[in-house]
Amino acid sequence: NAAARVAVLRDLRLRFYWDEAPDGRGGGGPSVDVPLGDFFGNGWHRTRHASAAWRVEDWTFAARWPMPFRRSARWTVFNAGSRTVRARFRAVLATLPEAPERFGYFHAEFRRSGPAAGAPHAVVDARGRGHYAGCVLSVTADDDSYWILEGDETIRTDGESRPGWQGTGLAPS
């Protein structure tokens, strides 16, 4: 049914590992660990869209990010749900004309926060060299209202004590 098909978007988790280390950085976890739907900008339901980085059409999901590695890559799909899922996956590999160091490793994570009044939700907390490409933010309220969107977004970069960016809040789309 339709609800079961949408549940697959959260039940299937993508996990990517780079260069034989568990997370490509010498740490203990994957470099990418996200639900399938959220990775492709479909947090709550399947939505058709296309950009330079992603494409979703029908039940075809495509990502076109450079994901360089030096020696090896391992991609896994983990079914956290109770239903059996049939899927096909395909990876297209190409040799980069430039050294992988120029691009760095690809990382993505899934974060969830609860309804603590006034508590900020951290979108990213990263250290070191790299480029922040963006986020997919899927928001829902516990009480069927839009009050969840009442708050100003802030961005702090490189240890700023006060936000370098203070917005005026989010609006439902």
Side-chain angles (χ1 to χ4, degrees), residues 14 16 36-42 49-57 60-67 106-108 132-136:
L14 303 174
F16 303 167
L36 174 78
D38 291 278
F39 185 78
F40 288 98
N42 284 249
H49 63 92
S51 71
W54 289 295
R55 181 177 59 84
V56 176
E57 189 172 335
T60 299
F61 297 79
R64 292 181 182 92
W65 290 98
M67 297 187 193
F106 182 89
H107 299 283
Y132 176 69
C135 79
V136 173

Side-chain angles (χ1 to χ4, degrees), residues 118-124 132 135 137 139 147-157 160 162-172:
H121 171 77
V123 172
V124 65
Y132 176 69
C135 79
L137 183 63
V139 179
W147 285 106
I148 189 101
L149 299 173
E150 289 298 321
D152 298 344
E153 74 279 6
T154 60
I155 300 174
R156 295 171 195 247
T157 326
E160 292 176 326
R162 296 173 42 105
W165 168 271
Q166 174 81 40
T168 57
L170 303 172

Side-chain angles (χ1 to χ4, degrees), residues 101-107 126-133 157-158:
E101 292 81 10
R102 178 176 181 267
F103 294 100
Y105 288 106
F106 182 89
H107 299 283
R127 304 278 186 269
R129 272 184 347 130
H131 299 280
Y132 176 69
T157 326
D158 298 332

Side-chain angles (χ1 to χ4, degrees), residues 29-145:
S31 292
V32 172
D33 186 1
V34 295
L36 174 78
D38 291 278
F39 185 78
F40 288 98
N42 284 249
W44 299 116
H45 55 86
R46 188 171 42 91
T47 303
R48 179 181 178 195
H49 63 92
S51 71
W54 289 295
R55 181 177 59 84
V56 176
E57 189 172 335
D58 297 322
W59 281 97
T60 299
F61 297 79
R64 292 181 182 92
W65 290 98
M67 297 187 193
F69 55 90
R70 288 168 186 79
R71 294 175 305 281
S72 66
R74 180 168 53 107
W75 296 290
T76 66
V77 179
F78 173 74
N79 185 356
S82 59
R83 295 180 180 91
T84 299
V85 177
R86 292 184 334 163
R88 289 183 295 183
F89 297 91
R90 182 177 73 145
V92 177
L93 301 177
T95 302
L96 291 172
E98 301 177 43
E101 292 81 10
R102 178 176 181 267
F103 294 100
Y105 288 106
F106 182 89
H107 299 283
E109 72 177 327
F110 176 75
R111 292 176 178 235
R112 177 180 283 162
S113 62
H121 171 77
V123 172
V124 65
D125 184 4
R127 304 278 186 269
R129 272 184 347 130
H131 299 280
Y132 176 69
C135 79
V136 173
L137 183 63
S138 301
V139 179
T140 188
D142 290 338
D143 62 2
D144 295 329
S145 74

